[in-house]
Amino acid sequence: MIYKGEIVYLRALEPEDYEKTYLFRDYEMQKMTCGPIRFSSKAMEKNWAQAKALDNSRDIYLAICLIENDEMIGWYSINDIDYRNRKCHCGGIVIGNRKYRDGLAYEEAGNLAFRYIINELNMNRITGSCLRQHIMSRAMMEASYWSLEGIERQSIFKEGRYHDVCHYAILKDEYLEHLNNGDFEPRKRMLRLGKAIKQLKADNKQ
C-alpha cells in the first residue's frame, strides 16, 4: 500500500533500507530527539531495519520517498499501537536528507502518515513527545491543534544534562473537526505555526 502526495509517498520499510537509515543517523538529528545519542554500525542498522520490516504488530515504520525519483529521504514511525484502546504514539519524522528538513516534504509526509493512522489504523487517541527546547516540533504539534498534556521534568539525560519532555495528544474527533473546518489548509497552518514559534521562543526566555 502506498500513501501518495504531491512531493512524497509512504511505503513499508524494507530490510535493504538500512543502507539509507545508517546514513541518516547523524548527530544533528539525534541531539533533538528524546532518545540517546548512539553510535550505530552497519551490522546493527541492518538488524534494526530487518526487525522493523518484518514485524509491524506494535510498531510501524514507513519509508518517506520522493515521487520524482523514488529516493528514500527518511522515515516515519508509529509506535506502541494499542488496537484494543485505539491509541498509538507518533515516534516522529526522521528526514535524513538535510535539503528536505522543515520543508514541504516534511509537512506532507506528516500529513500522509496521520491520514493513515486515522483512516486505516482507526486510532482514536494519538500522542507525541519532544524535548522542551525543540521549538519546531512543539510548534508543529500546536499548529495542528494537539494539546499539551504535561511536561515531564528532567526526564531525558543527554549531552551531559537532563532535559524536560513535553507530551502532546490529539483525539480523532478533534482532528476531524478541524479538518472539516478547513483549519489544516496550508495558509492557515503556516500562520498558526508562525505564532506558535514566536510564543514558544518567548516562553523559553522567561
Side-chain angles (χ1 to χ4, degrees), residues 17 62 67 103 165 179:
D17 288 332
L62 301 170
I67 291 175
V165 174
L179 181 66

Side-chain angles (χ1 to χ4, degrees), residues 17-183:
D17 288 332
Y18 83 92
E19 292 280 4
K20 282 284 189 179
T21 62
Y22 172 75
L23 298 175
F24 293 165
R25 296 189 189 276
D26 61 66
Y27 172 73
E28 290 302 317
M29 182 273 291
Q30 291 195 61
K31 75 176 185 179
M32 296 307 294
T33 69
C34 291
I37 295 174
R38 291 174 175 165
F39 292 102
S40 180
S41 66
K42 277 196 172 183
M44 292 167 60
E45 197 69 21
K46 187 174 183 178
N47 287 337
W48 176 85
Q50 184 174 43
K52 301 306 179 186
L54 295 178
D55 183 4
N56 64 359
S57 58
R58 288 274 295 172
D59 303 290
I60 296 175
Y61 283 75
L62 301 170
I64 303 169
C65 303
L66 295 174
I67 291 175
E68 62 180 2
N69 57 14
D70 294 320
E71 176 190 355
M72 178 183 174
I73 61 170
W75 73 83
Y76 190 102
S77 65
I78 307 166
N79 307 110
D80 300 327
I81 302 171
D82 181 344
Y83 290 101
R84 182 178 184 276
N85 296 301
R86 294 174 56 207
K87 61 182 180 179
C88 66
H89 183 80
C90 288
I93 304 177
V94 173
I95 299 294
N97 189 324
R98 294 171 182 267
K99 178 182 176 181
Y100 297 99
R101 290 178 182 173
D102 300 330
L104 294 177
Y106 184 101
E107 175 101 354
E108 189 171 76
N111 291 338
L112 290 172
F114 207 82
R115 273 174 42 202
Y116 175 71
I117 291 170
I118 295 294
N119 296 333
E120 306 301 334
L121 298 182
N122 193 28
M123 294 289 107
N124 179 60
R125 173 179 163 84
I126 302 96
T127 59
S129 303
C130 65
L131 299 182
R132 189 171 190 172
Q133 71 267 27
H134 197 334
I135 299 297
M136 182 55 69
S137 287
R138 294 180 62 190
M140 290 186 74
M141 283 189 276
E142 293 187 11
S144 297
Y145 300 94
W146 293 52
S147 297
L148 177 62
E149 295 192 333
I151 298 177
E152 195 174 354
R153 297 177 301 161
Q154 296 188 14
S155 176
I156 300 294
F157 184 81
K158 62 192 306 181
E159 295 191 296
R161 65 189 183 91
Y162 288 98
H163 300 264
D164 296 345
V165 174
C166 294
H167 296 290
Y168 287 85
I170 187 170
L171 303 180
K172 180 178 181 178
D173 288 345
E174 295 170 340
Y175 168 77
L176 292 177
E177 179 182 356
H178 289 295
L179 181 66
N180 292 332
N181 289 339
D183 295 329

